[in-house]
Amino acid sequence: RIKEELLLKKKNLDDPALYDEKFVAEEQSLDAQLETLQLFVAYLPDRYPEMYSYNKQEHSITVHPIETTFYIHEWMDRPLELCERIVQEDLILMRPGPALEDAKHGSEGYYMSAAAVCFSFNKLEEKLGKPAEFLHAPVPGYEHHLRKTMNMMFSKLKVEQPLRRNNWGIAPTGTLDEPLYGSDEARESRKMNEEVTEQDVKSMFLKVEYQTIRRLPRSGYLLFTVKTMVDGLDGLEHVPAKAAKCLAASIRGMSKDMRAYKGIENEQSCVAVLKYLDSVGN
């Protein structure tokens, strides 16, 4: 899918009406952006030689699936945008906030300093310079139960020990560049109405995000990567039943607020989703 996804990113980033919604950056993030690009250029051709080539003389990188060569010097004012154009992941750079008096606790959170995002969330301009928890949307329970723990985890994150996690959501369409998170509009798009039926659920889509968070060795910024994948929810019928069972168990274990965050905002829609998943899982 890399060709289709990179071309979709190109379409978004080349559109003047959309550009400011897909790439934002603080001036102070430029060094961390460049560090990210240098890491990508060093790693990608070595790890995936069938997809990437680096020309040392021209200082260029060629992305073979889209038959495009990028000259590094042309992107020195926005290196993270070039990174976004050559990989499937969305990319966010987070800088440490003000240092706390107690050195053990590190900095007072991490703040979005640059972002190149086409698939995972929207409203980038509103989030620039804001704490990390505002990237997707206000997560239920984050402020009271998770914020302090996450800030501590980010502060102690080592270069050689990245974090990995998954996120998922049920989407009304399979359009990759229609984010499920990040704005009131996105929340409305993923919200199921009370009349939803088991058949309606079957026609929906499952969006899954594979996320990594790693510390950049030179700048100390955190690089947050989000790879978004989407398939029809009925694809669960063609894989081992354990997948549907796990998803149903996850929903049953959620609070009402967390279900609403996922778009399952009422009892009727929850019943319909679980009925479908149980029929597949059994």
Side-chain angles (χ1 to χ4, degrees):
R1 296 179 180 177
I2 186 170
K3 179 178 179 179
E4 293 78 10
E5 292 177 17
L6 293 185
L7 290 175
L8 185 55
K9 283 188 171 188
K10 180 181 184 332
K11 179 182 176 182
N12 277 266
L13 290 164
D14 286 352
D15 187 339
L18 295 177
Y19 182 79
D20 289 341
E21 299 176 16
K22 306 301 177 182
F23 176 75
V24 295
E26 297 178 325
E27 185 176 349
Q28 63 184 301
S29 71
L30 189 58
D31 184 59
Q33 291 186 57
L34 183 57
E35 182 181 10
T36 302
L37 178 57
Q38 290 168 341
L39 290 171
F40 277 32
V41 169
Y43 175 78
L44 292 171
D46 183 59
R47 178 64 178 81
Y48 302 105
E50 73 283 3
M51 291 196 289
Y52 301 95
S53 297
Y54 176 65
N55 186 310
K56 188 175 181 180
Q57 285 69 40
E58 295 181 348
H59 198 30
S60 65
I61 186 166
T62 298
V63 185
H64 297 298
I66 57 173
E67 300 178 342
T68 303
T69 296
F70 297 94
Y71 295 90
I72 307 300
H73 71 272
E74 296 176 356
W75 300 87
M76 296 303 287
D77 59 336
R78 56 199 193 286
L80 195 69
E81 182 189 334
L82 176 53
C83 294
E84 176 78 3
R85 289 175 178 268
I86 66 177
V87 297
Q88 292 166 282
E89 290 82 357
D90 286 330
L91 306 166
I92 303 96
L93 284 169
M94 299 185 291
R95 57 173 169 78
L100 295 178
E101 291 182 12
D102 185 347
K104 306 188 293 192
H105 295 296
S107 65
E108 189 180 355
Y110 277 76
Y111 296 74
M112 192 177 90
S113 194
V117 177
C118 292
F119 303 149
S120 55
F121 62 92
N122 55 16
K123 301 292 184 183
L124 302 190
E125 290 180 290
E126 295 178 6
K127 296 171 173 62
L128 188 64
K130 298 290 180 64
E133 60 261 32
F134 286 92
L135 296 187
H136 266 175
V139 178
Y142 189 97
E143 183 64 32
H144 296 294
H145 304 295
L146 292 174
R147 190 172 190 270
K148 186 175 180 180
T149 300
M150 293 303 294
N151 286 344
M152 179 78 75
M153 189 180 303
F154 289 161
S155 294
K156 293 183 176 296
L157 189 64
K158 297 179 180 179
V159 171
E160 66 275 12
Q161 293 180 329
L163 296 176
R164 299 175 179 88
R165 67 182 297 272
N166 294 313
N167 185 35
W168 63 268
I170 296 175
T173 76
T175 305
L176 196 61
D177 60 347
E178 291 181 359
L180 278 182
Y181 301 100
S183 67
D184 292 338
E185 294 89 343
R187 177 169 182 160
E188 284 299 313
S189 75
R190 69 179 187 267
K191 183 166 65 175
M192 299 180 198
N193 62 48
E194 294 185 3
E195 289 76 34
V196 68
T197 66
E198 184 180 352
Q199 191 60 37
D200 293 330
V201 173
K202 184 176 180 178
S203 68
M204 293 178 181
F205 294 80
L206 183 64
K207 278 192 174 181
V208 176
E209 295 178 346
Y210 175 67
Q211 305 172 355
T212 72
I213 304 174
R214 66 189 64 231
R215 186 176 300 283
L216 298 180
R218 188 177 75 229
S219 64
Y221 276 53
L222 298 184
L223 173 63
F224 180 26
T225 74
V226 186
K227 182 175 181 179
T228 304
M229 297 158 280
V230 60
D231 287 291
L233 202 57
D234 61 358
L236 291 170
E237 299 174 16
H238 308 292
V239 297
K242 184 178 179 180
K245 289 181 179 179
C246 286
L247 188 56
S250 176
I251 293 170
R252 287 191 168 98
M254 289 177 178
S255 67
K256 185 177 179 180
D257 287 343
M258 183 57 77
R259 288 180 186 173
Y261 174 73
K262 296 290 186 181
I264 308 171
E265 296 211 4
N266 55 70
E267 189 62 29
Q268 293 91 330
S269 59
C270 186
V271 169
V273 170
L274 290 174
K275 186 176 180 182
Y276 175 68
L277 293 176
D278 288 343
S279 70
V280 176
N282 294 327

